[in-house]
């Protein structure tokens, strides 16, 4: 097995990535994504699925072209089996099954969250055994490998931080995704407004933070100050939980993943924490942080090479596919 084609489509992004294994390292040949951006409101699962169905063929042929390979050179097809939005997952699974049958190549469904971690390990040579802080729209988890599995050491109890930022952004009439715009607004302030900092054990909650931020806005607090304060509060909480996971597992590496990992303030906070502990800080390139097909392809290849196989019948999607349900045969 040398070349794997991976299809991502758990939520707002349809992506096809083609990767090659090069002496155990991941070489990305192409990684094409297309995002669904609702005109109003949040992501509607069926509309997002329609978007994926509309564009999957274009994204696929674009990715093949950019990789400079022919379909017959692909050895393996993988797809995001979960967790995610049901209609989106089903659309992508159907496309992956059809491609696998047509090309007569094996098929593997992979866990989206584990893919975020493995792409960091696969593309950053020094990154070997990290704690992953994975912060995306729907997911916020602190993940590490322990006792034969990827375990969730802490996670959000309600909404993902990206969703929290996007929702607050909608109240300001910012376009989706609002995270990058909130980052820009936050740069214009240094005034901290007190917002709820909720950590319960190793878990975090963001809905109280969102409500309080909306309240501040109604009371006329400057938008820049609120944006600054949301970031400081949420990122500090994430950094705290990540640090405790590192202390508990005695891991000396921290890796960022997910769309929110593009945020420079989050990066700098986690990097400062890592330095203070004598640990190393890693973040994959931007196009590998966000949802993408290359990470799905890479995890598919790791699984296949470790002997894992899947029939079409086994390839049902799982909206609630937990990180610790994954059989890890490659480590
Ligand atoms: P993902 O689901 O991993 O593709 O990530 C999408 C989420 O990342 C959305 O909720 C975005 O608002 C958020 N995001 C993207 N860039 C940034 C940024 N620079 N700062 C904060 N959040 C961001
Ligand atoms: Mg993701």
């Amino acid at each position: 097995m040398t070349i794997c084609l991976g299809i991502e489509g758990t939520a707002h992004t349809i992506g096809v990535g083609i990767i090659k294994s090069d002496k155990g390292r991941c070489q990305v040949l192409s990684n094409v994504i297309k995002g669904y951006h609702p005109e109003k409101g949040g992501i509607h699962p069926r509309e997002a699925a329609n978007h994926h169905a509309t564009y999957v063929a274009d994204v696929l042929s674009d990715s093949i072209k950019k990789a400079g390979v022919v379909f017959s050179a692909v050895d393996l097809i993988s797809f995001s089996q979960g967790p995610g939005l049901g209609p989106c997952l089903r659309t992508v699974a159907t496309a992956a099954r059809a491609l696998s049958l047509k090309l007569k190549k094996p098929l593997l469904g992979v866990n989206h969250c584990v893919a975020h971690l493995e792409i960091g390990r696969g593309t950053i040579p020094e990154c070997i055994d990290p704690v992953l802080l994975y912060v995306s729209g729907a997911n916020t988890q602190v993940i590490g490998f322990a006792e034969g599995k990827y375990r969730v050491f802490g996670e959000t109890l309600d909404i993902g931080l990206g969703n929290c930022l996007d929702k607050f952004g909608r109240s300001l009439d910012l376009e989706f995704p609002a995270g990058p715009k909130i980052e820009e607004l936050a740069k214009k302030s240094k005034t901290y407004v007190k917002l709820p900092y909720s950590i319960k054990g190793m878990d975090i909650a963001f809905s109280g933070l969102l409500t309080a931020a909306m309240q501040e806005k109604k009371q006329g607090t400057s938008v820049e100050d609120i944006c600054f304060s949301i970031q400081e509060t949420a990122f500090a909480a994430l950094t705290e939980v990540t640090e405790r996971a590192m202390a508990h597992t005695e891991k000396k590496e921290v890796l960022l993943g997910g769309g929110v990992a593009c945020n420079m303030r989050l990066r700098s906070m986690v990097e400062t924490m890592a330095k203070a502990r004598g640990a190393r800080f890693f973040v994959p390139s931007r196009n590998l942080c966000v949802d993408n097909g290359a990470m799905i392809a890479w995890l598919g290849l790791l699984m296949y090479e470790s002997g894992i196989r899947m029939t079409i019948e086994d390839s049902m999607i799982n909206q609630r596919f937990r990180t610790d349900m994954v059989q890890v045969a490659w480590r």
Side-chain angles (χ1 to χ4, degrees), residues 22-224:
D22 184 10
K23 297 190 192 89
R25 295 242 72 84
C26 170
Q27 193 190 339
V28 179
L29 302 180
S30 68
N31 194 18
V32 179
I33 60 172
K34 183 153 177 53
Y36 154 75
H37 291 189
E39 272 169 35
K40 251 184 80 187
I43 299 171
H44 188 299
R46 216 163 43 243
E47 281 177 19
N50 287 343
H51 165 272
H52 297 354
T54 306
Y55 293 107
V56 66
D58 289 348
V59 172
L60 183 62
S61 47
D62 202 15
S63 194
I64 282 280
K65 212 183 297 158
K66 289 209 167 99
V69 298
V70 287
F71 274 109
S72 58
V74 172
D75 299 301
L76 172 71
I77 312 291
S78 65
F79 70 98
S80 53
Q81 198 170 13
L85 303 170
C88 299
L89 293 172
R90 273 189 287 276
T91 302
V92 163
T94 305
R97 287 179 200 125
L99 197 61
S100 156
L101 289 170
K102 168 90 181 139
L103 299 178
K104 299 191 175 64
K105 295 294 157 115
L107 177 72
L108 275 181
V110 315
N111 180 287
H112 175 95
C113 305
V114 173
H116 272 290
L117 191 143
E118 287 298 348
I119 195 65
R121 293 203 327 130
T123 55
I124 308 169
E126 305 80 29
C127 180
I128 295 158
D129 184 22
V131 165
L132 169 74
L133 171 58
Y134 167 39
V135 201
S136 70
N139 300 299
T140 298
Q141 294 187 333
V142 176
I143 302 170
F145 186 74
E147 313 267 325
K149 275 191 167 179
Y150 281 113
R151 312 220 175 237
V152 178
F153 288 99
E155 66 187 317
T156 177
L157 294 169
D158 44 37
I159 50 175
L161 180 56
N163 281 355
C164 170
L165 297 173
D166 293 337
K167 253 192 191 165
F168 181 64
R170 271 207 296 285
S171 77
L172 305 177
D173 287 326
L174 298 177
E175 261 174 49
F176 175 88
K181 285 145 203 155
I182 290 177
E183 179 174 17
E184 286 314 305
L185 289 166
K187 281 183 192 154
K188 295 182 186 145
S189 165
K190 286 250 177 292
T191 307
Y192 183 75
V193 189
K194 200 164 185 308
L195 294 173
Y197 182 92
S198 23
I199 294 187
K200 298 177 185 176
M202 288 289 281
D203 295 325
I204 311 171
F206 294 116
S207 54
L209 174 68
L210 176 62
T211 309
M214 303 266 217
Q215 210 65 38
E216 286 291 339
K217 197 197 135 224
K218 271 195 201 134
Q219 285 162 6
T221 307
S222 116
V223 165
E224 287 82 1

Side-chain angles (χ1 to χ4, degrees), residues 12 136-137 162 165-166 177-180 183 258-260 262-263 291:
H12 46 74
S136 70
L165 297 173
D166 293 337
E183 179 174 17
V260 186
C262 298
N263 188 292
D291 288 352

